[in-house]
Amino acid sequence: MVTSALQEFVNVVPHPTSYTTPARGDMFIPGELIHVAPMNMRTYLDLSSLPGVSSRIVTPFLYYLGRNRFQRYKLFEWSEVSPVHAQFYQLTIQQKQQLENLIKQGLASISSAVSDFDLLLHDQRKYREFLDYFEAIEKGKKVKNEDLMMKNEQTLKSIFIDQVDVHTGEGIALKLIASRWPTIIVDFLKLKDEDTDPKKIAEKLKVTEAEGVVLATKNKLYVKWKELFRETVLGRFNRISELVEARRKSIQEYRNYLRPIIERFRNIRELGETEEGRRILNRSVSWARRGVSEAYSMDIQVIWAWKGMSLPDLFKRSKEAFIDEYDLLKYPKFPKGFKEWIKTEMPTWSDENKNRYRRIRDYHTGIEPIDKWVLAFIPVAERVWNVKLTALDILRARQWMINDGSALFPNWPYFKVWEITIVRGVTRYADGVEIENPMFDPWRPYLDSQNVVLMRYIELVAKEKQSENYITDLLGETAQGKRIAEIIEERYPELKAKYPELFGTTFVQRPLVTEKEMKKVTETKERVISAMTMKMRDWANSITRGLVKSAPYETNFENLITRQYFREIRDTMWVPANNYLRSRYGIPGFKSGP
């Protein structure tokens, strides 16, 4: 519920036995991976205040981080409100119920619009078929193709006999007088528009003059009907086409209207929605005692914030010396296998994405953040967020990191990071008194290498992808994040075998790439990721102090990291933040703050 993919990754990453084992929740693989929090700065704050005080303190602190050029992102947000707390319950849970009703009404409107759209499409197809007959006749006249003209004329005459002439009454309709002249319908189909003289018709077809009179009369009616029918078909086809486009647009607008409502609905998340959240409620002393009998509410927020470190005395390199552009598939710093994954996946990209990532810039620190550890992190992020990440998603996270860091992060491959979990409980007692109990656990600064920060960006991309999948699934545009065409291919493979020519065009939208190409992409990705994951322990065990020169990140934990980096974190992050919080909450002895 509040466990991030990065925390899950910490649990599976092996650490070299020749180095100091990191504290719980930390990762330190010398020269390869740094995600450590100073032991004496792991803070737990449990405070009490009047209602609203926490928001007036924490919110300005987040703005303070922004003013100090920290990138801030919300990873999780959950809440739980006791129905006894009627006022707050109406503002939160009841609001969610109202949004749920709006979504139900919107989905019903979409369903009705889709039904109308299908009926209109049916009518449009019907009138398009009639237009095809008239177009073929005109084309036959133009090229003087008698067979083409007669074939389509006979089709229109069949429609005239079945749907128009049959209603003229007994003794008059061709179908009903066929008992007197068995060949009259066949004879009628042989006539041309200019055949209107009964005698000439009788001589031409070698029939009686009485039958010739009937045929001449019917042919005159048919010619007149054909002229009127052509004008009617053209008019109705244009009007129905207008309605089809209007209904198509309305369906899309209904969906666009629902997207922000679904997003707001999903953002009001209750702890009881997940198994881990229900465990928290069952084990929480506060909720167990107050959740039913007293007015009590609890909400949880997990916030990440980071900023590049700057220690110029230790790191002096020219930023311009590292920035260069390469063709995507020729970039030399990507880990082995990643370029192969990109190459197999690239045919599935849109032209816009191909143009966007055709050229790639070197990262400004000179160290490529996409490395073997980042690729090994991908399956963990996929499992935690229940999404499938692509090579394009990884490149998108890398570009996001570059965009954030173009002006904010110096030429330093390390970041000072805040991980803040705020648990706020509000209790209203029977006498009307309200107490707010904010807990900051953890209130913890980290030192992260840039590949770990890229993992955070990848996790944010996975979170966004999960949110978008939720919306598109609910709107019926996808199912479990997959396009409907892909789902039909998986669940009904017999359709493709039975209708190889029709499947993918008439029944479902044809995928951008073939099934064989998509299978190749999946197999390449699984092979690359599996190789990275299986070799993690080998990498960790192979790291020794003799390999310091080839390592992209620091290896000296005891001296350099603890004495230089942790000191920077203490002086610029932890001390000001703690002084600020304690002073704003009125704790004696703390007066300074941001």
Side-chain angles (χ1 to χ4, degrees):
M1 189 277 303
V2 291
T3 301
S4 67
L6 185 60
Q7 290 173 307
E8 292 283 339
F9 188 61
V10 170
N11 297 331
V12 301
V13 169
H15 297 87
T17 57
S18 58
Y19 284 79
T20 304
T21 302
R24 182 181 179 184
D26 289 357
M27 293 185 293
F28 179 67
I29 300 179
E32 297 279 344
L33 198 68
I34 301 175
H35 171 67
V36 291
M39 289 295 295
N40 58 346
M41 302 181 204
R42 296 168 182 257
T43 309
Y44 168 72
L45 298 175
D46 189 347
L47 307 168
S48 296
S49 65
L50 295 176
V53 173
S54 295
S55 297
R56 292 196 295 269
I57 293 175
V58 174
T59 302
F61 175 72
L62 296 178
Y63 291 146
Y64 158 78
L65 292 178
R67 290 194 301 271
N68 282 270
R69 312 184 88 178
F70 277 82
Q71 293 295 329
R72 301 150 297 162
Y73 296 101
K74 180 181 70 176
L75 189 65
F76 295 109
E77 184 174 15
W78 304 83
S79 64
E80 193 70 32
V81 183
S82 167
V84 181
H85 201 323
Q87 182 179 1
F88 194 32
Y89 185 85
Q90 292 177 356
L91 292 175
T92 54
I93 307 303
Q94 193 170 27
Q95 181 187 7
K96 184 175 182 179
Q97 294 173 349
Q98 293 172 353
L99 292 173
E100 181 181 355
N101 291 331
L102 288 175
I103 292 172
K104 289 179 179 178
Q105 294 172 7
L107 292 177
S109 298
I110 292 175
S111 178
S112 176
V114 169
S115 298
D116 294 342
F117 183 63
D118 287 338
L119 292 174
L120 288 170
L121 283 179
H122 175 270
D123 291 342
Q124 188 186 47
R125 287 192 299 269
K126 180 179 178 181
Y127 285 106
R128 184 185 291 113
E129 183 181 353
F130 294 149
L131 289 177
D132 290 340
Y133 299 146
F134 286 110
E135 178 66 19
I137 292 172
E138 294 299 325
K139 185 177 180 181
K141 291 179 180 179
K142 186 175 181 180
V143 300
K144 298 181 179 180
N145 188 333
E146 292 290 336
D147 292 338
L148 181 61
M149 292 175 55
M150 288 301 297
K151 178 180 178 182
N152 289 276
E153 282 283 2
Q154 289 176 357
T155 303
L156 287 177
K157 286 182 178 179
S158 298
I159 296 173
F160 172 77
I161 293 170
D162 293 337
Q163 300 183 21
V164 179
D165 182 68
V166 72
H167 297 291
T168 57
E170 187 175 353
I172 301 176
L174 290 175
K175 277 190 172 183
L176 301 179
I177 61 177
S179 58
R180 179 183 299 181
W181 295 299
T183 63
I184 192 169
I185 293 178
V186 175
D187 294 336
F188 177 69
L189 295 176
K190 294 178 182 179
L191 297 178
K192 296 182 179 180
D193 290 353
E194 58 271 17
D195 293 331
T196 58
D197 189 327
K199 291 183 179 180
K200 291 182 179 180
I201 293 175
E203 293 175 359
K204 178 180 178 180
L205 301 178
K206 297 180 181 180
V207 296
T208 63
E209 189 172 343
E211 183 178 349
V213 172
V214 174
L215 289 173
T217 304
K218 294 294 182 181
N219 199 35
K220 291 177 184 178
L221 293 174
Y222 165 72
V223 172
K224 186 62 177 178
W225 169 82
K226 185 172 65 172
E227 293 176 0
L228 297 174
F229 186 57
R230 176 176 176 173
E231 294 177 3
T232 302
V233 168
L234 282 171
R236 289 187 179 179
F237 179 79
N238 290 334
R239 290 192 294 271
I240 289 175
S241 296
E242 292 174 358
L243 292 175
V244 165
E245 295 306 317
R247 185 55 66 188
R248 191 196 309 274
K249 181 66 176 178
S250 66
I251 292 172
Q252 188 60 43
E253 288 301 316
Y254 282 144
R255 286 173 170 163
N256 292 338
Y257 163 75
L258 282 179
R259 291 181 203 277
I261 297 177
I262 295 174
E263 182 66 21
R264 288 198 295 271
F265 171 80
R266 190 172 183 274
N267 285 339
I268 306 175
R269 309 193 68 181
E270 300 177 66
L271 276 171
E273 291 181 9
T274 65
E275 182 180 353
E276 187 175 352
R278 291 189 290 272
R279 284 201 299 267
I280 290 177
L281 291 177
N282 291 331
R283 297 173 183 177
S284 171
V285 174
S286 299
W287 184 262
R289 187 169 62 86
R290 306 169 183 166
V292 177
S293 60
E294 293 184 351
Y296 183 74
S297 67
M298 179 170 61
D299 57 80
I300 300 175
Q301 283 187 338
V302 178
I303 298 168
W304 283 354
W306 53 77
K307 176 184 177 182
M309 297 188 68
S310 178
L311 298 176
D313 293 337
L314 295 177
F315 192 78
K316 295 181 178 179
R317 295 185 185 180
S318 171
K319 185 173 183 178
E320 289 75 17
F322 297 101
I323 297 180
D324 200 357
E325 282 195 359
Y326 301 85
D327 288 336
L328 179 60
L329 296 178
K330 295 181 180 179
Y331 185 54
K333 296 184 180 181
F334 281 151
K336 183 179 180 181
F338 186 56
K339 283 191 285 188
E340 182 185 0
W341 181 11
I342 295 174
K343 185 176 180 180
T344 56
E345 186 185 293
M346 191 174 288
T348 69
W349 295 1
S350 65
D351 292 338
E352 180 184 358
N353 286 324
K354 288 179 181 178
N355 293 330
R356 180 180 300 168
Y357 296 105
R358 180 176 59 86
R359 302 278 292 176
I360 190 168
R361 296 185 65 189
D362 197 1
Y363 198 69
H364 58 258
T365 61
I367 303 172
E368 173 53 45
I370 298 179
D371 59 12
K372 54 195 176 186
W373 300 101
V374 170
L375 296 185
F377 168 75
I378 292 173
V380 180
E382 290 181 330
R383 184 180 71 252
V384 171
W385 292 98
N386 192 27
V387 296
K388 290 297 181 182
L389 295 172
T390 64
L392 186 62
D393 293 327
I394 309 307
L395 292 174
R396 176 190 167 200
R398 182 186 186 274
Q399 187 61 43
W400 187 359
M401 184 176 178
I402 290 175
N403 293 340
D404 276 358
S406 58
L408 303 182
F409 305 153
N411 302 344
W412 195 245
Y414 305 104
F415 291 75
K416 41 190 177 184
V417 180
W418 274 116
E419 282 193 8
I420 305 172
T421 300
I422 306 171
V423 182
R424 185 174 68 104
V426 179
T427 306
R428 173 181 289 176
Y429 295 100
D431 58 1
V433 176
E434 288 191 27
I435 297 294
E436 189 173 72
N437 179 219
M439 293 174 286
F440 300 86
D441 180 26
W443 175 268
R444 183 179 302 169
Y446 274 94
L447 170 67
D448 281 1
S449 53
Q450 67 181 18
N451 52 354
V452 176
V453 173
L454 179 59
M455 294 179 193
R456 296 183 185 273
Y457 278 102
I458 292 174
E459 181 154 6
L460 293 173
V461 169
K463 175 191 174 185
E464 291 178 353
K465 200 165 187 177
Q466 184 198 56
S467 178
E468 193 62 26
N469 288 347
Y470 179 86
I471 294 173
T472 56
D473 285 358
L474 198 57
L475 293 176
E477 297 174 337
T478 60
Q480 299 175 352
K482 298 180 180 179
R483 292 183 304 161
I484 302 302
E486 297 172 359
I487 296 293
I488 293 178
E489 285 192 5
E490 290 179 0
R491 296 184 180 177
Y492 308 102
E494 68 277 3
L495 283 178
K496 193 168 186 179
K498 189 174 182 180
Y499 307 106
E501 299 300 327
L502 295 178
F503 190 83
T505 54
T506 303
F507 297 145
V508 295
Q509 181 183 359
R510 183 176 294 280
L512 293 175
V513 292
T514 64
E515 184 180 1
K516 183 178 180 180
E517 289 173 326
M518 288 302 300
K519 185 177 180 181
K520 183 178 179 181
V521 172
T522 303
E523 290 175 350
T524 303
K525 172 189 173 182
E526 291 177 351
R527 184 175 70 254
V528 172
I529 299 300
S530 178
M532 298 297 172
T533 306
M534 295 296 292
K535 293 180 180 179
M536 281 197 299
R537 185 167 298 278
D538 295 337
W539 297 334
N541 292 335
S542 66
I543 295 173
T544 63
R545 286 180 172 85
L547 297 177
V548 171
K549 292 182 180 180
S550 63
Y553 304 112
E554 295 292 352
T555 61
N556 192 336
F557 184 84
E558 289 81 1
N559 295 316
L560 189 59
I561 290 181
T562 57
R563 295 183 182 182
Q564 296 289 344
Y565 298 94
F566 285 179
R567 183 182 298 173
E568 166 78 4
I569 290 174
R570 180 198 64 191
D571 295 341
T572 62
M573 289 179 59
W574 188 77
V575 170
N578 276 275
N579 288 345
Y580 168 79
L581 275 182
R582 295 167 194 262
S583 63
R584 292 297 298 270
Y585 276 107
I587 299 176
F590 295 91
K591 298 181 180 180
S592 61

